[in-house]
Amino acid sequence: MVDAASFRPATVLVVDDDADIRDLIVGQLRQENYRLLAAASLGDLRQTLRDEAVDLIVLDLNLPDGDGLSLCRELRAEGSDVQIIMVTARGSAIDRVLGLELGADDYLTKPFEPRELLVRIRNLLRRGRSGVTARAGTTRYAHIGPWRVDMVQRRLVAPDDRLVMLSSAEFRLLSRFIDEPNVVLDRETLLPERRATAAFDRSIDLQISRLRHKLSTLPGGEDLILTVRGEGYVLACSVEHS
């Protein structure tokens, strides 16, 4: 049976309180086959999510009724898997890492090249839809070392059923490793949506460090993800599914 959702245009919601920027982004996206929605505040965004099935949000962080970072964290806590690209004037590495840790799928700093936003949206939507299709036909758990990885609820499960939650960034990285165990993956492979700048993006080092820390809370988990100097990272174990 073919999923009809795979044929419908993706719905993209652009959230920015600056009408000029909002209209500019929407105008740029009109060249793509997307269904476009717009919001000027967190309240508008929340109402739109209640009324519409949204695939991706282009989210400004500084909004008149709240912070986009908090909204992102709340959506992930509620179990939402909508794709989120944060667009903001905050350009420090700490801000980027915080945004990714709280559940953003990508982060773009203003001012940006409109074509770069188009490419990132296209890549995220392609990855998100292929991931949904793949998960529908796979088993729920991936076993790595002492851990079970719950691929549905995005968390680590210890042998005693203790749960360790993963951020969206951590889960994406771990899923990529699980797809190709014992294969060295470079930065461009681990961050395909930021391929042009991945070689210089230090935020991935911090994400992997935090993921390693969580894995190492069980004996045998400390050496699951290894660094291969000058090449990238590798999940140094076999993966079994159940």
Side-chain angles (χ1 to χ4, degrees):
M1 181 180 295
V2 177
D3 183 3
S6 62
F7 292 97
R8 68 171 174 81
T11 298
V12 176
L13 171 60
V14 179
V15 185
D16 198 304
D17 63 326
D18 187 315
D20 291 336
I21 294 177
R22 192 170 64 246
D23 292 345
L24 174 65
I25 294 174
V26 169
Q28 289 289 332
L29 294 179
R30 289 198 190 282
Q31 64 186 281
E32 303 290 324
N33 185 32
Y34 299 140
R35 177 170 173 261
L36 297 170
L37 304 172
S41 66
L42 293 183
D44 291 346
L45 184 156
R46 280 290 194 183
Q47 185 60 52
T48 300
L49 291 180
R50 284 191 288 268
D51 296 339
E52 306 281 353
V54 175
D55 297 293
L56 184 143
I57 302 173
V58 179
L59 177 63
D60 183 45
L61 293 191
N62 296 314
L63 294 166
D65 55 347
D67 192 311
L69 284 173
S70 299
L71 183 281
C72 187
R73 178 176 54 205
E74 291 166 7
L75 289 177
R76 296 314 186 207
E78 294 165 6
S80 172
D81 60 358
V82 63
Q83 304 272 10
I84 299 174
I85 297 180
M86 290 184 173
V87 179
T88 176
R90 305 178 197 176
S92 72
I94 293 176
D95 286 324
R96 289 198 303 273
V97 170
L98 182 59
L100 294 169
E101 284 295 310
L102 292 178
D105 296 281
D106 201 357
Y107 195 110
L108 196 58
T109 303
K110 297 177 182 177
F112 56 87
E113 167 58 49
R115 287 174 296 180
E116 182 179 2
L117 177 61
L118 288 175
V119 169
R120 294 193 183 197
I121 289 174
R122 192 180 301 126
N123 288 342
L124 279 177
L125 289 171
R126 183 185 304 118
R127 189 180 69 189
R129 290 193 167 194
S130 63
V132 168
T133 302
R135 285 194 297 273
T138 60
T139 52
R140 175 166 181 172
Y141 294 102
H143 298 257
I144 57 170
W147 294 100
R148 282 180 293 153
V149 184
D150 188 330
M151 304 302 290
V152 174
Q153 297 194 359
R154 303 186 175 198
R155 57 192 182 180
L156 297 172
V157 185
D160 63 359
D161 291 330
R162 176 172 58 90
L163 301 178
V164 176
M165 303 308 296
L166 297 171
S167 71
S168 292
E170 292 163 352
F171 179 77
R172 287 196 306 275
L173 279 174
L174 188 54
S175 297
R176 191 68 187 86
F177 285 121
I178 287 170
D179 286 341
E180 295 192 70
N182 296 306
V183 174
V184 178
L185 303 177
D186 59 22
R187 293 170 179 274
E188 291 80 3
T189 301
L190 291 169
L191 292 173
E193 65 275 10
R194 296 202 296 278
R195 186 175 299 276
T197 59
F200 311 101
D201 193 334
R202 299 295 101 180
S203 65
I204 189 174
D205 298 325
L206 181 55
Q207 292 172 33
I208 287 180
S209 176
R210 293 182 177 181
L211 180 57
R212 281 172 167 162
H213 177 73
K214 291 182 178 181
L215 293 171
S216 68
T217 56
L218 284 182
E222 62 275 6
D223 295 321
L224 287 175
I225 297 177
L226 302 179
T227 301
V228 180
R229 188 175 299 277
E231 295 187 43
Y233 302 92
V234 59
L235 179 64
C237 70
S238 59
V239 178
E240 297 180 358
H241 296 272
S242 66

